[in-house]
Amino acid sequence: MTLATLSLGVKSRLADLTMTLDLGEVTAICGPNGAGKSTLLASLAGLLAPDAGHVALGGQPMAGLRPDVRARTIGYLPQMPEVAWDLSVEVLVSLGRLPWHGVPGSEAQAAIDDAIAAMDLEAFRHRRVSQLSGGERARSLMARVLATGPSWLLADEPLASLDLAHAASLVACFRKQAQLGRGVVLVLHDLAMAMNHADRVIVLDRGRLAADGAPELALGADVVARVWGCPARWVGEPGARALSVG
Ligand SMILES: Nc1ncnc2c1ncn2[C@@H]1O[C@H](COP(=O)(O)OP(=O)(O)OP(=O)(O)O)[C@@H](O)[C@H]1O
C-alpha cells in the first residue's frame, strides 16, 4: 500500500509534488523554517486539500475514504496539538480508540495500556493534562496516536520537547512500528536523527523538493550547505553520525 500526493499548490505553499511513500519505512521530512514540511504532512494526512491533484491511499483518493476508515488508517500528530478538555492521561489516550467503535473493550484497553507503557506514562495515568510538563504532555499526545494502531503514523516534530532518553525511546518505537509494516512519516529538524534513523529523507526548500532518497545522499553536506545555507560536515560512523556546523 502506498500513500502518494500529487499536489499543486496547497494555497501556493507547495510547488508540484509527486511522491509515493512506502509502508515499512521511516521517512523523514526535513527543511528550513517555512519550507512547507507541516503543509506537506497535513496534506498527506488528508487535512489540507491540494489546490489540484490528490492524495491517494492504497490507490484510492483520500477524499473518498470514510472518515472512520481514514481515522483508523492514519494517525496524525500536529506540531502544536491542542487539548480541548483537561482530561486525565488515560482518558486522553483512550480517545485514540474512538475510530474503532464496536471493537471489544479488552482489545481497546490493551492498546491503551501498551501506548501508555511505550510512552513511559504509567506514573501519570491518572494525572490531568494541565498538570503535566511540556514533554509529558507531548508523550501523552503521541500515546493517543499509538493507541489507534494506525497503518500510517504521521508526526510533526514529535521529538521537539522530549529529553534525550525519551527521544531515543520514541525513535526506537518508530523503528518498531516500521518493522511491524507500518508507514512512519516524521517532520524532523534534527538532521542527525534523520540521518541515523530514517530509511528515506525528503528535503523541502521554499515549497519545492530539494532532495529525496537515502539519508546519506539526501542529507549530504552539499545539500545541507545549499538548502540550509550552512557549511557543515558529517562526522562519526554510519548510524551514529553527528553534524559539525561551521
Ligand atoms: N494558514 C496559512 N496560511 C497561509 N500561509 C501559511 C499558513 N500556514 C503556513 N503558511 C506559510 O506556508 C509556508 C510553509 O509553512 P509550513 O508550516 O508548512 O512550514 P514548515 O516547513 O513546517 O516550517 P517550520 O519549520 O517553521 O515549522 C510558510 O511560508 C508559512 O508562512
Side-chain angles (χ1 to χ4, degrees):
M1 190 160 74
T2 59
L3 180 69
T5 177
L6 299 170
S7 165
L8 275 170
V10 188
K11 310 278 179 260
S12 312
R13 283 182 256 162
L14 284 175
D16 296 15
L17 281 176
T18 302
M19 62 178 65
T20 301
L21 303 178
D22 293 316
L23 289 167
E25 281 192 350
V26 175
T27 301
I29 303 174
C30 300
N33 289 143
K37 304 178 296 296
S38 298
T39 304
L40 174 59
L41 200 72
S43 51
L44 290 171
L47 299 173
L48 279 178
D51 297 342
H54 68 281
V55 178
L57 187 63
Q60 275 200 316
M62 187 92 76
L65 287 181
R66 275 195 356 233
D68 59 333
V69 173
R70 193 169 79 185
R72 286 199 292 266
T73 310
I74 298 178
Y76 170 67
L77 184 73
Q79 191 171 18
M80 285 182 280
E82 295 293 326
V83 181
W85 300 289
D86 192 16
L87 306 169
S88 72
V89 167
E90 184 170 27
V91 173
L92 176 68
V93 175
S94 72
L95 295 181
R97 296 305 299 179
L98 279 181
W100 293 100
H101 45 82
V103 170
S106 59
E107 194 178 319
Q109 193 57 50
I112 293 161
D113 291 347
D114 286 352
I116 286 176
M119 290 297 99
D120 190 24
L121 289 166
E122 273 306 344
F124 305 101
R125 186 183 275 262
H126 303 296
R127 185 90 69 87
R128 291 196 173 274
V129 175
S130 62
Q131 292 161 8
L132 297 174
S133 74
E136 291 156 1
R137 186 172 173 276
R139 276 154 45 208
S140 304
L141 289 158
M142 191 70 239
R144 179 176 67 176
V145 175
L146 289 173
T148 305
S151 304
W152 289 94
L153 223 153
L154 313 184
D156 199 337
E157 280 294 328
L159 309 177
S161 52
L162 302 195
D163 64 56
L164 191 60
H166 285 109
S169 153
L170 183 53
V171 166
C173 171
F174 287 139
R175 293 262 23 130
K176 189 173 152 203
Q177 295 287 320
Q179 274 164 14
L180 290 170
R182 294 177 174 153
V184 180
V185 188
L186 310 173
V187 170
L188 292 178
H189 273 298
D190 185 335
L191 301 189
M193 278 290 185
M195 172 63 94
N196 293 324
H197 302 292
D199 299 299
R200 172 182 175 185
V201 178
I202 290 165
V203 178
L204 295 180
D205 183 16
R206 287 164 285 181
R208 296 183 180 280
L209 188 67
D212 180 2
E216 295 274 349
L217 284 176
L219 286 177
D222 55 327
V223 178
V224 176
R226 191 175 74 241
V227 173
W228 280 265
C230 266
R233 69 190 172 91
W234 290 101
V235 295
E237 300 301 313
R241 295 247 194 252
L243 192 61
S244 172
V245 179

